[in-house]
Amino acid sequence: MDKRELTAFALEARENSYSPYSSFKVGAALLAENGKVYCGCNIENAAYSPTNCAERTAFFTAIADGARGFEAIAVVGGKDEIDSFCLPCGMCRQVMSEFCDKNFRIYTYDGEEIRTYTLGELLPESFKL
Ligand code: THU
């Protein structure tokens, strides 16, 4: 599974975004070491705080399915068209650090180009017990 295929899954997952408050639709596709792709979208809430990001939806779905090792996640986000890079928020980076090492890859797409980051780049010196 390459970065283009994973991004295509993220674009499909974005279609299910429930985002009536921000109108910002995000999709994520998480590639696990078991070979499965776990998809997620952002799910908003009238009380705002209970909102779940697309990345955490994908991770929690994977964990609940019994997956543990992960290779990469593709993230896409935007109001209408995808025209800028959407990067995981701090809370999602922390969730990634619970289950992934510093070489875990994060792909983000602006409608033209896919950029690749590692978790080590996006969350250096992360908190761990
Ligand atoms: N959001 C995500 O789903 N992932 C991110 O990485 C950043 C933000 C969602 C949360 C909220 O539903 C909307 O985008 C606007 O913040």
Side-chain angles (χ1 to χ4, degrees):
M1 168 88 37
D2 68 17
K3 61 185 179 181
R4 280 174 194 78
E5 289 174 283
L6 202 59
T7 298
F9 278 110
L11 287 166
E12 202 178 310
R14 182 174 172 266
E15 295 301 314
N16 294 330
S17 167
Y18 177 76
S19 42
Y21 305 104
S22 73
S23 299
F24 193 87
K25 299 192 290 176
V26 186
L30 174 63
L31 177 61
E33 284 172 5
N34 64 11
K36 291 190 190 177
V37 174
Y38 296 95
C39 290
C41 60
N42 55 331
I43 304 166
E44 298 189 343
N45 188 278
Y48 294 0
S49 307
T51 292
N52 209 55
C53 290
E55 299 90 321
R56 276 177 291 137
T57 304
F59 263 92
F60 296 156
T61 301
I63 295 302
D65 188 53
R68 286 298 181 270
F70 300 102
E71 294 182 11
I73 191 168
V75 184
V76 292
K79 283 207 168 179
D80 299 310
E81 302 296 304
I82 305 283
D83 56 12
S84 61
F85 294 105
C86 180
L87 282 152
C89 76
M91 200 181 286
C92 288
R93 295 178 197 197
Q94 180 65 26
V95 167
M96 289 173 192
S97 83
E98 183 73 26
F99 300 107
C100 306
D101 66 24
K102 63 181 173 49
N103 299 316
F104 177 71
R105 297 183 304 283
I106 295 139
Y107 305 131
T108 177
Y109 174 62
D110 71 346
E112 288 186 5
E113 175 201 349
I114 298 172
R115 285 194 182 158
T116 304
Y117 297 90
T118 65
L119 184 58
E121 288 174 315
L122 297 188
L123 191 68
E125 310 297 347
S126 65
F127 174 77
K128 291 223 167 85
L129 283 178

